[in-house]
Amino acid sequence: MESFTSWDGTELAYRVVGSGPPLVCIPGGPGQTVEYLGELGGLTRSRTLILLDNRGTGASGVPADPTTYRVDRLVDDVEALRQHLGLDRMDLFGHSASGGICLLYAARHPARLDHLVLVAPSLRVVGLPSDLDVDRVLAARAHEPWHATAVAALHAEPTTPEEQQRYRWEAAPLLYGRWSPAAQAQAAAEPAQFAPAATDGFYAGFAPDPALPARLAEFTAPTLLLAGEHDIWPTAAAVRQLATLLRSHELVVQPEGGHFPWVDDPAAFAASVEAFLAG
């Protein structure tokens, strides 16, 4: 791991893997260490991945001020990383919760981006619902042997941390296009990858800025929106709503993909991202 000092003195860690032009990668969760991104389905063959651990997660330091865990404050860490890397402009990748960080970065620093890649992005920062058409998505998988247990766990209300972990595991198949050994291994590793303070602080005190959609409409860098056909948060239908806010975008719905499409079909995922970045 390498490290740098961010704007407020917090030491942040990042990992560099692969070869080719850099792609700066911000993890989601929120509050999850970047290790869950792995090598993004083999993107390391064509790209040098700069994999950041957000503050308070993984190998990065804990900030003195917990309000800096908030999604809009994390934008400053992305900008500090860009400056540390010496990049005048960069390609930026966000997944899930970090899609919100990247959208806010695009609105605040549009001249610093060549390409933006958003995979299963959280839509909370733009005030859009992420569960549009979710009942249809769930019903389409009713034939799966785990379906009834997973849906019940999804809607359960845990009363203890132990129950929360059990329900999370039982619902996990809904986050993947295929409940394969690779998906099960990733889901099993997740509980140890989260930093509760970073998770809890991500949206604490945050309210969407009503002016953000108008600023995003002025953002001109090419943007890839990649959704999984079976994802429930956000659904592909919800990501299509985000697409209406962006001027220059490409929308890809990965067949039989879930919330982690590089796990479901690494080759298809990498091909979509590589083709977009090469365009």
Side-chain angles (χ1 to χ4, degrees):
M1 297 290 282
E2 302 185 39
S3 66
F4 69 102
T5 302
S6 195
W7 60 274
D8 64 342
T10 303
E11 286 292 312
L12 301 184
Y14 64 96
R15 183 165 55 95
V16 180
V17 295
S19 60
L23 177 63
V24 176
C25 302
I26 314 300
Q32 190 172 6
T33 179
V34 77
E35 70 177 277
Y36 84 94
L37 294 180
E39 296 189 358
L40 288 174
L43 274 179
T44 48
R45 293 188 300 268
S46 60
R47 286 276 161 168
T48 298
L49 305 184
I50 313 294
L51 297 151
L52 176 69
D53 267 333
N54 288 321
R55 56 180 51 217
T57 72
S60 286
V62 174
D65 179 0
T67 67
T68 62
Y69 284 127
R70 203 173 65 199
V71 55
D72 54 329
R73 305 291 297 277
L74 295 178
V75 172
D76 295 327
D77 288 335
V78 178
E79 175 61 4
L81 175 58
R82 182 196 65 78
Q83 294 177 18
H84 166 75
L85 295 171
L87 299 173
D88 182 59
R89 298 169 65 87
M90 64 180 173
D91 294 336
L92 183 63
F93 175 102
H95 169 252
S96 193
S98 70
I101 301 172
C102 294
L103 285 168
L104 293 170
Y105 185 92
R108 197 179 303 175
H109 302 285
R112 297 301 184 183
L113 292 178
D114 280 328
H115 297 86
L116 178 61
V117 178
L118 300 177
V119 177
S122 170
L123 307 182
R124 185 164 174 174
V125 299
V126 290
L128 292 174
S130 289
D131 59 350
L132 192 64
D133 202 28
V134 70
D135 289 340
R136 185 197 62 78
V137 177
L138 289 170
R141 308 189 76 188
H143 63 283
E144 299 280 7
W146 43 258
H147 185 268
T149 298
V151 172
L154 180 68
H155 297 299
E157 296 184 2
T159 58
T160 67
E162 292 75 19
E163 277 190 345
Q164 184 178 36
Q165 288 300 326
R166 177 166 63 86
Y167 291 146
R168 186 168 184 162
W169 173 256
E170 291 175 349
L174 294 170
L175 297 177
Y176 297 88
R178 290 187 282 267
W179 192 224
S180 64
Q184 294 175 42
Q186 189 192 61
E190 274 200 348
Q193 295 174 343
F194 280 84
T199 300
D200 295 343
F202 194 79
Y203 289 120
F206 175 79
D209 180 356
L212 179 60
R215 293 205 302 275
L216 290 174
E218 298 173 353
F219 178 63
T220 58
T223 301
L224 173 64
L225 302 176
L226 196 153
E229 176 188 10
H230 296 317
D231 199 357
I232 60 172
W233 195 271
T235 61
V239 176
R240 288 190 181 95
Q241 292 298 304
L242 174 62
T244 66
L245 303 181
L246 298 168
R247 181 182 302 182
S248 177
H249 71 271
E250 177 181 337
L251 174 64
V252 172
V253 177
Q254 183 169 308
E256 297 186 359
H259 196 64
F260 307 94
W262 65 91
V263 176
D264 295 316
D265 190 336
F269 175 82
S272 292
V273 178
E274 288 169 351
F276 168 76
L277 291 174

